[in-house]
C-alpha cells in the first residue's frame, strides 16, 4: 500500500472485531512511528498502550468516573471549545452523520449518552493508546503530536488495521495516571482506539466527507 492509498483508506472506525493484534506488530508500528518529525527533534510524545486486562481495568475505571457524574478534567483545551461559523457547522454535520447512521434522534438524550460513553469503552477495540506530552509545552509541540498520531494511523492502515483518534480519552485522565506510567509532568492530549474493524457494523458505514480543496488551499504563482 502506498501513502496515497493509506490516506484515502483511513477512516475513524467505531466498532471492532474481538480479535487482538499481535504484540510484535503493535511494537513494530510504534517503532516505525518514532521516525516522525518534530520541532527541533524534541519528540514530545509519550504513549501508553493498553491491551487485555489493563485495557479492561481502565475502561471500567473511566466509565465509572463518567457515570458517577464526575466532571471532566482535560489538561489541554478540548478542540471543540469556542467553535464558530463554518467550524461549528462542520462539527454539527459530523455529529448528525454519526447519529443519523445509528438512527438516533437529536432529542433521544439517553441513546446519545450511550453512544458518547462508547468513547471510553474504546468502541470495543482490543487496544487503546494514550498520548501525553509535557504540560509546559505549547501549540508547536501539539503539531508534533498530531504528525506522530497520523504516522501511527497510516501505519495501522497499511497493516490492515483501523483506529479512532479520540480527544474524549483526555477528558477523564485520573485513572490513566493511576494505572500507567504517564511521566510526571505530562498531560494526556488524546487517545487512539485500534484493532481490526468490524466492517459490517452500521456505525462504520458513514463517511463525513471533506470540503472542496479551494476552501482550504490557495495557490499563487
Ligand atoms: C484530534 C482528534 C480528536 C478526535 N476525537 C474524537 C472523539 O473523541 N470521538 C470520536 O468518536 N471521534 C473523534 N475524532 C474523529 C473525528 O470525528 C474524525 O477524524 C472526523 O470526523 C473525520 O472523519 P474520518 O476520521 O473518518 O475521516 C477525533 C479526531 C481527531 C483528529
Amino acid at each position: 500500500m502506498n501513502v496515497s492509498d493509506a490516506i484515502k483508506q483511513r477512516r475513524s472506525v467505531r466498532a471492532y472485531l474481538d480479535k487482538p493484534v499481535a504484540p510484535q506488530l503493535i511494537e513494530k508500528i510504534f517503532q516505525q512511528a518514532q521516525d516522525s518529525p518534530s520541532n527541533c527533534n524534541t519528540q514530545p510524545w509519550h504513549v501508553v498502550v493498553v491491551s487485555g486486562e489493563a485495557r479492561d481495568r481502565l475502561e471500567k475505571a473511566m466509565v465509572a468516573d463518567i457515570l458517577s457524574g464526575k466532571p471532566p478534567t482535560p489538561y489541554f483545551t478540548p478542540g471543540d471549545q469556542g467553535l464558530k461559523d463554518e467550524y461549528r457547522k462542520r462539527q454539527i454535520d459530523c455529529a448528525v452523520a454519526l447519529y443519523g447512521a445509528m438512527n438516533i434522534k437529536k432529542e433521544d438524550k439517553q441513546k446519545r449518552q450511550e453512544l458518547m460513553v462508547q468513547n471510553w469503552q474504546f468502541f470495543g477495540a482490543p487496544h487503546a493508546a494514550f498520548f501525553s506530552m509535557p504540560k509546559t509545552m505549547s501549540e508547536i509541540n501539539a503539531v508534533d503530536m498530531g504528525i506522530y498520531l497520523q504516522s501511527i494511523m497510516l501505519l495501522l492502515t497499511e497493516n490492515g488495521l483501523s483506529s479512532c483518534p479520540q480527544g474524549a480519552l483526555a477528558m477523564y485522565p485520573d485513572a490513566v495516571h493511576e494505572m500507567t506510567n504517564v511521566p510526571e509532568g505530562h498531560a494526556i492530549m488524546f487517545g487512539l482506539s485500534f484493532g481490526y474493524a468490524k466492517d459490517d457494523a452500521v456505525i462504520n458505514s458513514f463517511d463525513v466527507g471533506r470540503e472542496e480543496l479551494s476552501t482550504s488551499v490557495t495557490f499563487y504563482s
Side-chain angles (χ1 to χ4, degrees), residues 66-82:
I66 292 149
L67 298 183
S68 74
K70 187 172 164 175
T73 52
Y75 180 80
F76 297 109
T77 312
D80 58 356
Q81 299 283 299

Side-chain angles (χ1 to χ4, degrees), residues 20-213:
V21 182
Q24 301 85 336
L25 178 55
I26 297 178
E27 195 177 323
K28 183 180 150 206
I29 287 170
F30 280 87
Q31 177 65 60
Q32 288 176 292
Q34 284 292 103
D35 279 331
S36 302
S38 57
N39 186 35
C40 299
N41 201 26
T42 46
Q43 305 162 67
W45 48 78
H46 182 273
V47 189
V48 293
V49 181
V50 293
S51 309
E53 280 179 21
R55 173 227 175 273
D56 295 348
R57 274 199 306 274
L58 208 44
E59 171 185 333
K60 209 170 156 196
M62 287 196 299
V63 171
D65 274 351
I66 292 149
L67 298 183
S68 74
K70 187 172 164 175
T73 52
Y75 180 80
F76 297 109
T77 312
D80 58 356
Q81 299 283 299
L83 289 184
K84 285 190 196 143
D85 308 326
E86 70 265 40
Y87 306 108
R88 176 80 178 128
K89 181 185 174 301
R90 287 174 200 157
Q91 182 195 35
I92 293 169
D93 289 349
C94 179
V96 167
L98 176 60
Y99 294 128
M102 298 304 287
N103 208 9
I104 297 174
K105 304 259 174 307
K106 198 178 161 201
E107 51 284 358
D108 192 342
K109 277 196 173 163
Q110 168 80 17
K111 284 255 166 61
R112 282 172 49 190
Q113 160 84 355
E114 282 167 17
L115 188 55
M116 189 62 167
V117 170
Q118 284 192 35
N119 270 287
W120 297 278
Q121 297 167 324
F122 313 125
F123 294 113
H127 311 279
F130 293 83
F131 297 70
S132 66
M133 76 170 188
K135 288 178 178 174
T136 50
M137 288 188 165
S138 63
E139 288 86 348
I140 192 73
N141 312 102
V143 174
D144 304 338
M145 298 292 285
I147 290 172
Y148 176 69
L149 171 68
Q150 174 78 332
S151 294
I152 289 167
M153 293 193 296
L154 296 182
L155 287 162
L156 288 165
T157 304
E158 185 190 25
N159 285 280
L161 296 160
S162 295
S163 61
C164 186
Q166 292 165 259
L169 293 183
M171 289 171 71
Y172 296 90
D174 293 354
V176 190
H177 286 274
E178 274 160 32
M179 294 184 188
T180 71
N181 72 337
V182 176
E184 190 67 34
H186 273 225
I188 295 163
M189 182 166 271
F190 49 78
L192 183 77
S193 299
F194 65 94
Y196 292 96
K198 199 172 184 185
D199 288 325
D200 56 0
V202 177
I203 199 166
N204 290 336
S205 67
F206 72 99
D207 184 350
V208 284
R210 295 293 189 272
E211 298 295 326
E212 293 286 331
L213 180 64

